[in-house]
Amino acid sequence: MGLEMPDSLTASLGRVLLPGAHTELMRSTVRLGRLTFSAAAASVFLYDEQRDQLVFEASSGEGEDRLVGMAIPAGRGIAGWVFQTGETILCDVREDPRFDRDFAQSTGYVPDVLMAAPLELEERVIGVMQVLDPAIDRFGELAAIDLLTELANQLAIALALVTVARRQEVTPLHRLERALSRAEAPSTAVDELLDALGKFVLTSSGRH
């Protein structure tokens, strides 16, 4: 079953969400993750089903300018393991055979400790959030894992809401409303035009 929202909520979201909402959500979340754990870096991969790869969509900290757009096979490295299993992990990569050191070196930063959590939606993993070299002493391992899992869950839900709002608000009137909202016209004039068009659509529908 797909995620559904009431029409009123969908319309409201459609009016306030900008085209770059997906990107900004991910950027904000990885920044929050990095700052929360006083980490060297944090990033988000999303799964590209056509290529069967995990693609860097947002990054904060070490190497952030180089990472976006890079991709790895969906079963490769710690991120691939998390994507395949759906489990959150905290590990010392210096002792973990799952860690792909070659790929890490290609990003320009090789961590000692890595945390990663799946982005899950309706029992399906859609990506992975990871934090590199987190300072977890003030949390403890279990609390740190729980916190990262919650951050990943919040991001997955937020991305889904943005997607639903965009898919459902696609009527010509909605598109016109968005276009007019960006135009340099008095808001009262925009409202009057939309109201008149809405009445016209209703009247035309009633004639058939």
Side-chain angles (χ1 to χ4, degrees):
M1 174 182 287
L3 181 65
E4 297 180 357
M5 291 190 296
D7 291 341
S8 58
L9 180 56
T10 298
S12 298
L13 284 171
R15 281 192 287 270
V16 301
L17 292 172
L18 300 175
H22 273 87
T23 301
E24 189 51 42
L25 276 169
M26 288 185 287
R27 286 176 179 169
S28 177
T29 303
V30 295
R31 284 196 298 266
L32 179 59
R34 179 176 61 81
L35 293 172
T36 298
F37 294 103
S38 300
S43 56
V44 166
F45 299 88
L46 291 184
Y47 179 58
D48 183 328
E49 188 172 357
Q50 291 185 337
R51 294 189 289 170
D52 192 29
Q53 291 182 326
L54 293 169
V55 182
F56 274 106
E57 297 289 348
S59 181
S60 176
E62 293 285 347
E64 63 179 71
D65 296 332
R66 300 184 297 273
L67 292 179
V68 175
M70 293 182 68
I72 60 172
R76 182 174 174 179
I78 299 293
W81 183 88
V82 170
F83 177 76
Q84 297 289 343
T85 64
E87 296 183 21
T88 302
I89 190 173
L90 169 60
C91 63
D92 184 333
V93 299
R94 294 169 296 186
E95 303 174 356
D96 197 311
R98 294 167 295 188
F99 180 61
D100 191 330
R101 185 167 295 274
D102 290 339
F103 178 74
Q105 289 174 340
S106 73
T107 70
Y109 184 78
V110 181
D112 293 327
V113 177
L114 187 152
M115 279 202 307
L119 303 179
E120 293 185 273
L121 189 63
E122 297 178 341
E123 300 182 355
R124 182 170 66 93
V125 180
I126 62 173
V128 175
M129 180 176 178
Q130 67 177 17
V131 178
L132 308 183
D133 286 330
I136 60 172
D137 292 344
R138 58 181 174 145
F139 299 105
E141 291 189 7
L142 292 179
I145 287 173
D146 286 344
L147 180 55
L148 181 61
T149 300
E150 285 302 315
L151 283 174
N153 288 341
Q154 292 289 332
L155 176 58
I157 293 169
L159 289 173
L161 290 174
V162 176
T163 300
V164 169
R166 287 180 178 174
R167 286 176 179 172
Q168 293 188 12
E169 191 181 3
V170 294
T171 66
L173 202 58
H174 284 138
R175 289 197 294 269
L176 177 62
E177 181 179 4
R178 286 200 297 269
L180 289 173
S181 68
R182 294 192 293 270
E184 294 181 0
S187 60
T188 53
V190 171
D191 291 340
E192 289 174 3
L193 176 58
L194 289 172
D195 184 57
L197 285 171
K199 290 178 180 177
F200 174 75
V201 170
L202 289 174
T203 301
S204 299
S205 299
R207 291 174 181 170
H208 299 289

